Coordinates of all heavy atoms in Angstrom, one line a residue:
Q1 N 160.6 97.9 60.6 CA 159.7 96.9 60.2 C 160.5 95.6 59.7 O 161.4 95.8 59.0 CB 158.7 97.5 59.2 CG 157.5 96.6 59.0 CD 156.5 97.1 58.1 OE1 156.8 98.1 57.3 NE2 155.3 96.6 58.1
L2 N 159.9 94.5 60.2 CA 160.4 93.2 59.8 C 159.3 92.4 59.3 O 158.2 92.3 59.9 CB 161.0 92.5 61.1 CG 162.3 93.1 61.6 CD1 162.7 92.4 63.0 CD2 163.4 93.1 60.7
V3 N 159.5 91.7 58.1 CA 158.5 90.9 57.6 C 159.1 89.5 57.3 O 160.1 89.4 56.5 CB 157.8 91.5 56.4 CG1 156.8 90.6 55.7 CG2 157.3 92.8 56.6
E4 N 158.5 88.4 57.9 CA 159.0 87.1 57.7 C 158.1 86.5 56.5 O 157.0 86.8 56.3 CB 158.8 86.2 58.8 CG 159.4 86.6 60.2 CD 158.6 87.5 61.1 OE1 157.6 88.0 60.5 OE2 158.7 87.6 62.2
S5 N 158.7 85.5 55.9 CA 158.0 84.7 54.8 C 158.7 83.4 54.7 O 159.8 83.2 55.3 CB 158.0 85.4 53.5 OG 159.4 85.6 53.1
G6 N 158.2 82.5 54.0 CA 158.7 81.2 53.7 C 158.3 80.0 54.6 O 158.7 78.8 54.2
G7 N 157.4 80.3 55.4 CA 156.8 79.1 56.3 C 155.9 78.3 55.4 O 155.6 78.6 54.3
G8 N 155.4 77.2 56.0 CA 154.6 76.4 55.3 C 154.5 74.9 55.8 O 154.9 74.8 57.1
L9 N 154.0 74.0 55.2 CA 153.9 72.6 55.6 C 155.0 71.8 55.0 O 155.2 71.9 53.7 CB 152.4 72.1 55.2 CG 152.1 70.8 55.7 CD1 151.9 70.7 57.2 CD2 150.8 70.4 55.0
V10 N 155.6 70.9 55.8 CA 156.7 70.1 55.3 C 156.7 68.8 56.0 O 156.3 68.7 57.2 CB 158.1 70.8 55.5 CG1 158.4 71.0 56.9 CG2 159.3 70.1 54.6
Q11 N 157.1 67.8 55.3 CA 157.3 66.4 56.0 C 158.6 66.3 56.8 O 159.6 67.1 56.5 CB 157.2 65.3 55.0 CG 155.9 65.2 54.2 CD 155.9 64.1 53.3 OE1 157.0 63.6 52.8 NE2 154.7 63.5 52.9
P12 N 158.5 65.5 57.8 CA 159.8 65.2 58.6 C 160.9 64.9 57.6 O 160.8 64.0 56.6 CB 159.4 64.0 59.4 CG 158.0 64.1 59.6 CD 157.4 64.6 58.3
G13 N 162.1 65.4 57.8 CA 163.2 65.2 56.9 C 163.3 66.3 55.9 O 164.3 66.3 55.2
G14 N 162.3 67.0 55.7 CA 162.2 68.0 54.7 C 163.0 69.3 55.0 O 163.6 69.5 56.2
S15 N 162.9 70.3 54.1 CA 163.6 71.6 54.4 C 162.6 72.7 54.0 O 161.7 72.6 53.2 CB 164.8 71.7 53.4 OG 165.8 70.7 53.7
L16 N 163.0 73.9 54.7 CA 162.3 75.2 54.5 C 163.3 76.3 54.5 O 164.2 76.0 55.3 CB 161.1 75.4 55.4 CG 159.8 74.7 55.1 CD1 158.8 75.1 56.3 CD2 159.3 75.1 53.8
K17 N 163.1 77.3 53.9 CA 164.0 78.5 54.1 C 163.2 79.7 54.5 O 162.4 80.2 53.6 CB 164.8 78.8 52.8 CG 165.9 79.8 53.1 CD 166.8 80.0 51.8 CE 168.0 80.8 52.0 NZ 168.9 81.0 50.8
L18 N 163.3 80.3 55.6 CA 162.6 81.4 56.0 C 163.4 82.7 55.6 O 164.6 82.7 55.6 CB 162.4 81.5 57.6 CG 161.6 80.1 58.1 CD1 161.4 80.4 59.5 CD2 160.3 79.9 57.2
A19 N 162.7 83.8 55.4 CA 163.3 85.1 55.1 C 162.7 86.2 55.9 O 161.6 86.1 56.3 CB 163.2 85.4 53.6
C20 N 163.6 87.0 56.3 CA 163.1 88.2 57.2 C 163.7 89.4 56.5 O 165.0 89.7 56.5 CB 163.8 88.0 58.7 SG 163.5 89.4 59.7
V21 N 162.8 90.2 56.0 CA 163.2 91.5 55.3 C 163.0 92.6 56.1 O 161.8 92.8 56.7 CB 162.3 91.6 53.9 CG1 162.7 92.8 53.2 CG2 162.6 90.3 53.1
A22 N 164.0 93.5 56.2 CA 163.9 94.6 57.1 C 163.5 95.8 56.1 O 164.1 96.0 55.1 CB 165.2 94.8 57.9
S23 N 162.9 96.8 56.8 CA 162.6 98.1 56.1 C 162.7 99.2 57.2 O 162.4 98.8 58.3 CB 161.3 98.2 55.4 OG 160.3 97.9 56.3
G24 N 163.1 100.4 56.8 CA 163.1 101.5 57.7 C 164.4 101.6 58.5 O 164.7 102.5 59.3
F25 N 165.4 100.5 58.2 CA 166.6 100.6 58.9 C 167.6 99.7 58.2 O 167.1 98.9 57.4 CB 166.5 100.1 60.4 CG 166.2 98.7 60.6 CD1 167.1 97.8 61.0 CD2 164.9 98.2 60.5 CE1 166.8 96.4 61.1 CE2 164.6 96.9 60.7 CZ 165.6 96.0 61.1
T26 N 168.9 99.9 58.3 CA 169.9 99.1 57.6 C 170.2 98.0 58.5 O 170.8 98.0 59.5 CB 171.2 100.0 57.4 OG1 170.8 101.2 56.7 CG2 172.2 99.2 56.6
L27 N 169.8 96.8 58.1 CA 169.8 95.5 58.8 C 171.3 95.1 59.3 O 171.5 94.6 60.3 CB 169.2 94.4 58.0 CG 169.1 93.0 58.7 CD1 167.8 92.5 58.2 CD2 170.2 92.1 58.4
E28 N 172.3 95.5 58.4 CA 173.6 95.1 58.7 C 174.2 95.6 60.1 O 175.1 95.1 60.6 CB 174.7 95.5 57.6 CG 174.9 97.0 57.3 CD 176.0 97.2 56.3 OE1 177.1 96.7 56.4 OE2 175.5 97.8 55.4
Y29 N 173.5 96.8 60.6 CA 174.0 97.3 61.9 C 173.3 96.7 63.1 O 173.4 97.2 64.2 CB 173.7 98.9 61.8 CG 174.6 99.5 60.7 CD1 173.9 100.3 59.8 CD2 176.0 99.3 60.6 CE1 174.7 100.9 58.7 CE2 176.6 99.8 59.5 CZ 176.0 100.6 58.5 OH 176.7 101.3 57.5
Y30 N 172.5 95.7 62.8 CA 171.6 95.2 63.9 C 172.0 93.7 64.0 O 172.2 93.0 63.1 CB 170.2 95.4 63.7 CG 169.7 96.9 63.9 CD1 170.0 97.8 63.0 CD2 168.9 97.2 64.9 CE1 169.6 99.1 63.1 CE2 168.5 98.5 65.2 CZ 168.8 99.4 64.3 OH 168.5 100.6 64.4
S31 N 171.8 93.3 65.1 CA 171.7 91.8 65.4 C 170.3 91.2 65.1 O 169.3 91.9 65.6 CB 172.1 91.5 66.8 OG 173.5 91.8 67.1
I32 N 170.2 90.1 64.5 CA 169.0 89.5 64.1 C 168.9 88.2 64.7 O 169.8 87.3 64.6 CB 168.8 89.5 62.5 CG1 169.0 90.8 61.9 CG2 167.4 89.0 62.3 CD1 167.9 92.0 62.5
A33 N 167.7 87.9 65.3 CA 167.5 86.5 65.8 C 166.3 86.0 65.3 O 165.3 86.7 65.0 CB 167.3 86.6 67.5
W34 N 166.2 84.7 65.3 CA 164.9 84.0 64.9 C 164.5 83.3 66.3 O 165.3 82.6 67.1 CB 165.2 82.8 63.9 CG 165.4 83.4 62.5 CD1 166.5 83.6 61.9 CD2 164.3 83.6 61.7 NE1 166.2 84.1 60.6 CE2 164.8 84.1 60.4 CE3 162.9 83.6 61.7 CZ2 164.1 84.6 59.4 CZ3 162.2 84.0 60.6 CH2 162.8 84.4 59.5
F35 N 163.2 83.6 66.6 CA 162.5 82.9 67.7 C 161.4 82.0 67.2 O 161.0 82.1 66.0 CB 162.0 83.9 68.7 CG 163.0 84.6 69.5 CD1 163.6 85.7 68.9 CD2 163.1 84.4 70.8 CE1 164.6 86.4 69.7 CE2 164.1 85.1 71.7 CZ 164.7 86.1 71.1
R36 N 160.9 81.1 68.0 CA 159.8 80.4 67.6 C 158.9 80.1 68.8 O 159.5 80.1 70.0 CB 160.2 79.0 67.0 CG 160.8 77.9 67.9 CD 161.3 76.8 67.1 NE 162.0 75.8 68.0 CZ 162.6 74.6 67.5 NH1 162.6 74.4 66.2 NH2 163.1 73.8 68.3
Q37 N 157.6 79.9 68.6 CA 156.7 79.7 69.7 C 155.7 78.6 69.2 O 154.9 78.8 68.2 CB 155.9 80.8 70.1 CG 155.2 80.8 71.3 CD 154.7 82.2 71.9 OE1 154.7 83.2 71.2 NE2 154.4 82.2 73.2
A38 N 155.8 77.5 69.9 CA 154.8 76.4 69.6 C 153.5 76.6 70.5 O 153.7 77.3 71.6 CB 155.4 75.1 70.0
P39 N 152.4 76.0 70.2 CA 151.2 76.2 71.0 C 151.4 75.7 72.5 O 151.9 74.7 72.7 CB 150.2 75.3 70.3 CG 150.6 75.2 68.9 CD 152.1 75.2 68.9
G40 N 151.0 76.6 73.3 CA 151.3 76.3 74.8 C 152.6 76.4 75.4 O 152.8 76.1 76.5
K41 N 153.5 76.9 74.5 CA 154.9 77.0 75.0 C 155.4 78.4 75.0 O 154.8 79.3 74.2 CB 155.8 76.1 74.2 CG 155.6 74.6 74.4 CD 156.7 73.8 73.8 CE 156.4 72.2 73.9 NZ 157.4 71.5 73.3
E42 N 156.4 78.7 75.7 CA 157.1 80.1 75.6 C 157.8 80.2 74.4 O 158.3 79.3 73.7 CB 157.9 80.3 76.9 CG 157.1 80.3 78.2 CD 158.1 80.6 79.4 OE1 159.2 80.8 79.1 OE2 157.5 80.8 80.5

């Protein structure tokens, strides 16, 4: 299981830090990727 957090509303030039917490497995043995999907896009 993976659970993301940290999203929100930010102004241009601003910063956010997302977190992805893993459970049920030891994350260090896996490759982890971040993907994103905007409306109407792949």
Side-chain angles (χ1 to χ4, degrees):
Q1 190 172 20
L2 298 169
V3 178
E4 303 95 336
S5 63
L9 188 68
V10 65
Q11 292 184 334
S15 299
L16 283 175
K17 187 174 185 178
L18 306 183
C20 172
V21 180
S23 61
F25 67 104
T26 302
L27 187 142
E28 68 177 297
Y29 301 126
Y30 286 75
S31 296
I32 305 296
W34 285 96
F35 287 78
R36 67 185 181 186
Q37 189 165 20
K41 294 188 177 181
E42 294 187 352

